[in-house]
Amino acid sequence: DIQVTQSPSSLSASVGDRITITCRASQSINRFLNWYQQKPGEAPKVVVYTASTLQSGVPSRFSGSGSGTDFTLTITSLQPEDFATYYCQQTYSTPRTFGQGTKLEI
Amino acid sequence: QVQLQESGPGLVQPSQTLSLTCNVSGGTINSGLYYWTWLRQPAGKGLEWIGHIYISGSTTYNPSLESRVTIAIDTSKNQFTLKLTSVTAADTAVYYCARDVVGTAVLQNWGQGTLVTVSS
């Protein structure tokens, strides 16, 4: 299985801040990495797919980058609704493994 | 807009079989554009991909669960199912069904999730 290591596991920030979350894959996965946002009691929602493609309807303050083994999700100018847990997922091969999650807190 | 909804028992006895159904509405399950996927999430923990099925009936499972998992599809009912045998407390989780777009492999649509507790 491809292991995906996500960091940090938690992050404290304020409204208006810029934050970055990283994921590192145990082998090259090209650009086959997606980012999901999950709020308590809800199912995850995709925010970025194939490393850098913004899901329709997701604000442009979200962006993704990277290829190979190293990827980042950046949120500029944090808004109150952005505080959630974020997961990366590699889709290069099955099983489609997830990072451990990053809880973004105020 | 397609919607997915999980259903099934919320409580399963240890060593028994967990059975869940995902009903798909607002779109046909009989499409070659998607994989139909099951995932789970223990309370307070991360997401685990269980496996998926294609319209042809072809399945791929997580090797960690493969010996106990069966995913099936019923196009006449526009639904797909999950069976997990010989469950233990470690299988207690919120179970999600989702639609995975072939090519991008993005889980674009999710059910709301259903909590399954394994306990006597």
Side-chain angles (χ1 to χ4, degrees):
Chain A
D1 299 3
I2 296 176
Q3 307 303 314
V4 181
T5 303
Q6 187 174 340
S7 62
S9 57
S10 64
L11 180 57
S12 293
S14 300
V15 172
D17 284 354
R18 177 182 186 273
I19 66 97
T20 297
I21 301 169
T22 64
C23 272
R24 173 164 287 176
S26 58
Q27 66 182 73
S28 177
I29 58 171
N30 199 335
R31 295 176 60 82
F32 290 99
L33 187 109
N34 303 329
W35 291 96
Y36 297 87
Q37 176 194 69
Q38 186 178 33
K39 296 181 179 179
E42 297 182 4
K45 296 178 183 177
V46 58
V47 292
V48 169
Y49 61 95
T50 54
S52 61
T53 304
L54 199 64
Q55 170 71 2
S56 176
V58 173
S60 59
R61 62 181 178 271
F62 289 83
S63 64
S65 65
S67 65
T69 60
D70 294 319
F71 300 85
T72 60
L73 175 70
T74 299
I75 313 173
T76 59
S77 189
L78 277 170
Q79 297 302 300
E81 60 268 28
D82 301 336
F83 291 92
T85 300
Y86 292 85
Y87 294 94
C88 57
Q89 182 205 24
Q90 67 81 19
T91 59
Y92 181 81
S93 66
T94 56
R96 305 205 199 281
T97 44
F98 289 84
Q100 301 90 330
T102 295
K103 187 173 184 179
L104 178 56
E105 300 174 298
I106 298 175
Chain B
Q1 172 75 330
V2 69
Q3 292 188 319
L4 293 84
Q5 178 70 58
E6 306 89 351
S7 62
L11 180 65
V12 181
Q13 304 262 358
S15 79
Q16 299 302 302
T17 297
L18 179 159
S19 295
L20 295 174
T21 297
C22 183
N23 186 67
V24 179
S25 59
T28 179
I29 203 171
N30 197 6
S31 168
L33 298 177
Y34 308 108
Y35 290 108
W36 303 95
T37 302
W38 286 99
L39 309 100
R40 68 181 183 178
Q41 185 173 37
K45 296 189 178 180
L47 295 156
E48 181 177 30
W49 185 86
I50 297 173
H52 65 206
I53 188 165
Y54 191 59
I55 187 57
S56 63
S58 172
T59 53
T60 305
Y61 300 130
N62 191 321
S64 68
L65 297 168
E66 188 162 16
S67 63
R68 299 193 291 131
V69 172
T70 302
I71 298 174
I73 195 165
D74 187 338
T75 56
S76 66
K77 295 181 178 178
N78 222 40
Q79 61 187 205
F80 61 109
T81 59
L82 170 71
K83 291 189 187 298
L84 182 66
T85 62
S86 304
V87 296
T88 69
D91 296 309
T92 295
V94 174
Y95 285 75
Y96 294 101
C97 59
R99 187 175 77 166
D100 173 334
V101 180
V102 173
T104 62
V106 58
L107 293 162
Q108 212 159 49
N109 304 93
W110 295 65
Q112 65 185 28
T114 188
L115 174 62
V116 179
T117 301
V118 179
S119 175
S120 56

